[in-house]
């Protein structure tokens, strides 16, 4: 086929309406099959099963096999989300990730192509562990402005590829995984309609969570990177405090914007960074911990995949039921944070 024949003609699609709400109508996830237990980590690093479980709530995590990348997980989760929504096409793919397949280009176009979503707009969003919330807001924006009628939002990360294998702190916390949702244009009163959103950042604290080398700041020096600077680094104790403070603040902001109170929320699905962070947010908000979904024990901190994986596990267990008011929240590197609201739709997670 000639290049012109491949590119033309463009399909005639009616322009989507502007001002629509984004309605969550499909949910899919994917985890690598390889399980790494706390005992596995304790067998090679100066830590113990009890320390990891007691200080983080994590019992095990999934890790990709050699050669498996973020796009591989994203494709699987994206396909499952489309199946859950009973759709075979979307107009845009937003991939939230901090571990793209390559520094350039973005990973989303390849993911879209491999799912068979030809011509869909596709781009990556990097807001570290808040990436999925930023991705949802981006998808909702594409729908509200009439750019897209249906959007696939994927959160996928392979932190095992950037974590220092010799660091007992980070190696114990992170796991790999992917989760995806389909958003469609709809009305604000529908089950699954997202919004309002609260998003924020504080770049003053960019150094608290960072991969120091590999970007233009280091490469423009033309000096070799400092040993170990290609790995993920974080100030755990400070991040811990800020995560509780900012996720609590963002939850309150989004409720204020919606004209709702904390008692109107049936379930909180927040970033699974550490079970003590989830408990800390519940405490700061004065809410029972039973309202907070938790799946960190089985998957660890999966960064951009954390919120959709937690949604899917609660959907499968029946903890999330159609009609419940759900608050989604996250916090991550940048620093970044965000929250949004929805009434849970009648969907099956795949
Ligand atoms: N095993 C045993 N000891 C460990 C350890 C491990 N895996 N990791 C840290 N320690 C040690 C520390 O070296 C420290 O020892 P010291 O007192 O002799 O200096 C001690 O345990 C306490 O360290 P501290 O950092 O105060 O522990 P903590 O209770 O805050 O737990 C984290 C550490 C990393 C688990 C916790 O701070 C955390 O979860 N932070 C947020 C992480 C996160 O999810 N970030 C991603 C972005 S949201």
């Amino acid at each position: 086929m000639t290049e012109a024949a491949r590119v033309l003609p463009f399909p005639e699609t009616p322009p989507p309406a502007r001002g629509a709400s984004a309605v969550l109508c499909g949910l899919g996830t994917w985890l690598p099959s390889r399980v790494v237990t706390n005992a596995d980590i304790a067998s090679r690093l100066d830590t113990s099963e009890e320390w990891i479980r007691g200080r983080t709530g994590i019992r095990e995590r999934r890790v990709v096999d050699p050669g498996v990348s973020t796009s591989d997980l994203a494709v699987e989760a994206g396909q499952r989300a489309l199946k859950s929504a009973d759709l075979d096409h979307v107009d845009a793919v937003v991939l939230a990730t901090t571990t793209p397949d390559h520094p350039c280009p973005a990973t989303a176009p390849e993911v879209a192509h491999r799912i068979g979503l030809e011509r869909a707009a596709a781009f990556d969003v990097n807001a570290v562990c808040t990436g999925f919330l930023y991705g949802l807001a981006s998808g909702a924006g594409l729908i509200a402005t009439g750019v897209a009628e249906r959007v696939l939002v994927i959160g996928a990360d392979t932190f095992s590829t950037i974590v220092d294998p010799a660091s007992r702190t980070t190696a114990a916390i992170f796991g790999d995984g992917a989760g995806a949702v389909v958003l469609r244009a709809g009305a604000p009163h529908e089950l699954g309609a997202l919004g309002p959103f609260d998003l924020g950042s504080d770049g003053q604290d960019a150094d608290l969570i960072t991969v120091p080398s590999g970007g233009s700041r280091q490469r423009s020096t033309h000096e070799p990177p400092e040993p170990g600077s290609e790995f993920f680094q974080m100030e755990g104790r400070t991040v811990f405090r800020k995560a509780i403070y900012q996720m609590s603040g963002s939850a309150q902001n989004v409720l204020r914007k919606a004209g709702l109170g904390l008692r109107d929320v049936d379930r909180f699905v927040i970033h699974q960074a550490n079970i003590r962070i989830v408990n800390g947010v519940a405490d700061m908000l004065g809410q029972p911990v039973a309202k907070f979904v938790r799946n960190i024990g089985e998957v660890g901190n999966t960064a951009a995949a954390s919120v959709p994986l937690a949604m899917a596990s609660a959907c499968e267990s029946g903890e999330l039921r159609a009609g419940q008011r759900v608050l989604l929240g996250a916090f991550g590197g940048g620093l970044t944070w965000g929250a949004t609201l929805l009434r849970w739709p009648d969907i099956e997670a795949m």
Side-chain angles (χ1 to χ4, degrees):
M1 199 189 296
T2 66
E3 188 62 14
R6 204 165 69 83
V7 170
L8 295 170
F10 277 89
E12 299 259 336
T13 49
R18 286 175 183 228
S21 287
V23 175
L24 194 159
C25 63
L27 173 59
T29 59
W30 184 253
L31 289 167
S33 58
R34 183 147 68 101
V35 176
V36 174
T37 64
N38 291 348
D40 294 332
I41 291 177
S43 70
R44 62 178 183 84
L45 295 173
D46 179 20
T47 185
S48 67
E49 271 190 90
E50 295 70 37
W51 194 97
I52 301 171
R53 199 178 56 248
R55 303 302 289 169
T56 70
I58 301 166
R59 289 190 301 277
E60 60 188 39
R61 71 286 294 142
R62 303 296 186 92
V63 171
V64 291
D65 284 322
V68 176
S69 73
T70 295
S71 70
D72 298 327
L73 308 187
V75 165
E76 296 283 354
Q79 283 169 334
R80 279 167 174 71
L82 287 167
K83 195 166 172 218
S84 161
D86 199 18
L87 287 175
D88 56 15
H89 202 267
V90 294
D91 310 302
V93 177
V94 182
L95 173 64
T97 188
T98 308
T99 50
D101 285 12
H102 309 279
C104 172
T107 304
E110 183 185 327
V111 170
H113 168 71
R114 285 170 57 191
I115 297 178
L117 301 169
E118 303 303 340
R119 298 180 193 275
F123 59 94
D124 290 1
V125 168
N126 180 351
V128 198
C129 299
T130 318
F132 186 72
L133 263 292
Y134 270 68
L136 283 183
S138 307
L142 292 174
I143 287 172
T145 49
V147 173
E149 207 162 352
R150 293 162 181 169
V151 182
L152 178 62
V153 180
I154 309 174
D157 267 311
T158 49
F159 261 56
S160 64
T161 63
I162 57 171
V163 156
D164 181 351
S167 159
R168 64 179 179 175
T169 313
T170 49
I173 293 177
F174 289 97
D176 301 336
V181 296
V182 178
L183 306 181
R184 65 164 171 81
H189 62 266
E190 287 187 69
L191 292 186
L194 293 173
F197 279 88
D198 177 67
L199 297 181
S201 76
D202 181 2
Q204 244 189 169
D205 282 331
D207 289 349
L208 293 181
I209 294 173
T210 182
V211 178
S213 70
S216 58
R217 175 68 67 206
Q218 173 261 314
R219 291 170 76 102
S220 68
T221 65
H222 303 289
E223 300 289 333
E226 295 283 326
S229 65
E230 71 277 27
F231 291 125
F232 178 90
Q233 297 175 5
M234 110 189 137
E235 294 274 347
R237 225 174 280 192
T238 312
V239 168
F240 186 95
R241 279 200 319 274
K242 291 195 181 254
I244 294 173
Y245 179 77
Q246 296 295 6
M247 277 199 282
S248 303
S250 198
Q252 284 168 319
N253 280 344
V254 84
L255 285 168
R256 203 173 302 123
K257 285 184 190 179
L260 297 169
L262 285 159
R263 71 164 68 93
D264 297 313
V265 180
D266 299 304
R267 286 281 179 273
F268 293 83
V269 186
I270 64 171
H271 174 46
Q272 307 283 299
N274 182 323
I275 202 66
R276 293 186 298 125
I277 292 177
V278 176
N279 294 344
V281 172
D283 198 38
M284 189 167 249
L285 294 176
Q287 292 295 294
V289 286
K291 278 185 163 188
F292 286 71
V293 164
R294 49 191 67 211
N295 70 332
I296 191 169
E298 297 76 50
V299 294
N301 179 346
T302 54
S306 172
V307 168
L309 283 171
M311 288 196 297
S313 109
C315 187
E316 279 159 14
S317 69
E319 210 182 325
L320 279 182
R321 290 189 304 277
Q324 285 178 327
R325 183 165 278 117
V326 180
L327 188 148
L328 309 179
F331 169 87
L335 301 176
T336 54
W337 56 84
T340 192
L341 290 160
L342 75 160
R343 287 179 61 227
W344 193 250
D346 189 8
I347 55 168
E348 193 185 338
M350 300 260 171

